[in-house]
Amino acid sequence: MNVGLLTGGGDCPGLNAVIRAVVQRIVNEGGSCVGIVEGWRGLVQGMSRPLNLCDTDGIVARGGTILGASRTNPFKSPDRDVPSVLANVKALGLDVLVVIGGDDTLGVAYRFQKDFGLPIVGIPKTIDNDLAVTDFTFGFDTAVNIVTEAVDRLRTTAESHRRIMVVETMGRHSGWIACFAGIAVAADYILVPEVPIDLPHLVDVLRRRRAAGKNYGVVIVAEGARFPDKGVVTLEAEIDPFGHVRLGGIGALLEQRIEKLTGFETRCVILGHIQRGGPPSAYDRVLATRLGLAAAHLVIRKKFGTLVALSGGQIVDVPLDEGVSATKTLDLSYYDEAAAFFR
Ligand code: F6P
């Protein structure tokens, strides 16, 4: 069996761990693997590389993806790109494609399976943890740990200068990273896309804490957080091939508002792509390895049109269409627990 592997969308720590698990399992079963370079772009343009056991040695600890990634969407110019993808799958002699991605990349995989009969096994990934099909995605735990470490550092300088530190996290339209990291660092306030920003309450909490003797503050804000009746803040008007705007800038807006309303010196730090870089946490390596093994198992059993996922601690498989249908916003019970401290 000849298996193609593809990593698409934004990268995240754990992708190499998942690649290692799939390749080692398939090769040990007598199959072969081909790496598709730079996500769907690799199949549009015919870019691939060999993937042998030695290529995957030691990569479990490496961030990013040895295959490269892109946000290429072959259905953006379907007349041109869809036939290229199908021709390249044939030219490479692929029996199945293991697609590792978020909702966009997996959505493309589903269309190729549904409309063109491509045999697909999907594996979900994203630092945002916003895929409804799985309890947690690998990449998320590492991102939360990176934010936690960054805020632990920012706290000391905030304290020295008696400042409010506004830390903007990624997460797109979900507040998972902001909420989990905010709880981990005992932030004074956490702002997530799922709950409109209540500026008077935020200011009130910061003022009361100052009056009680705490001379600095930490506010965590997710990039997708919004003021009531206002849209998300974006870095540029351009949209990507999947129709997404580039989020960012809410932290800087808050910095101005907080400083103006409280008189406390305030600084904003946008953590950006640092959250996606570097080695995966042990948790993400384990989760990625378990998902990779399960995906390889589906490939060996020829159970195509499926996706592996984490459900209640177990790795399960579900139909691919279920996996790409719904976004998972932050479970507000976590936010309620965090908000118990906003006093
Ligand atoms: O989906 C992962 C993510 O890191 C989001 O949190 C963020 O909004 C986006 O990707 C950034 O995308 P890019 O790497 O294309 O700037």
Side-chain angles (χ1 to χ4, degrees), residues 71 126-128 170-172 223 246 273 276:
R71 294 198 190 276
T126 166
I127 63 163
D128 302 337
M170 281 188 166
R172 219 187 274 280
E223 62 181 359
R246 202 170 149 215
H273 293 82
R276 294 212 320 239

Side-chain angles (χ1 to χ4, degrees), residues 71 168 170 172-173 223 232-240 243-249 272-273:
R71 294 198 190 276
E168 183 181 305
M170 281 188 166
R172 219 187 274 280
H173 300 291
E223 62 181 359
V232 285
V233 181
T234 59
L235 287 169
E236 56 197 31
E238 225 172 279
I239 54 167
D240 75 10
H244 304 299
V245 286
R246 202 170 149 215
L247 299 177
H273 293 82

Side-chain angles (χ1 to χ4, degrees), residues 110-123:
Y110 176 59
R111 285 185 73 177
F112 273 114
Q113 180 232 299
K114 184 170 65 79
D115 299 342
F116 302 96
L118 271 194
I120 305 271
V121 171
I123 305 179

Side-chain angles (χ1 to χ4, degrees), residues 12-44:
C12 75
L15 285 171
N16 286 325
V18 92
I19 292 168
R20 168 190 170 265
V22 174
V23 172
Q24 298 217 355
R25 183 78 202 267
I26 295 293
V27 172
N28 287 336
E29 289 288 327
S32 55
C33 292
V34 177
I36 308 300
V37 173
E38 295 174 22
W40 290 110
R41 185 189 293 150
L43 280 179
V44 170

Side-chain angles (χ1 to χ4, degrees), residues 51 83 138 194 212 267 271 275 317:
L51 263 185
F138 64 84
E194 292 82 357
R267 293 287 187 273
L271 292 177
Q275 293 159 94
D317 58 90

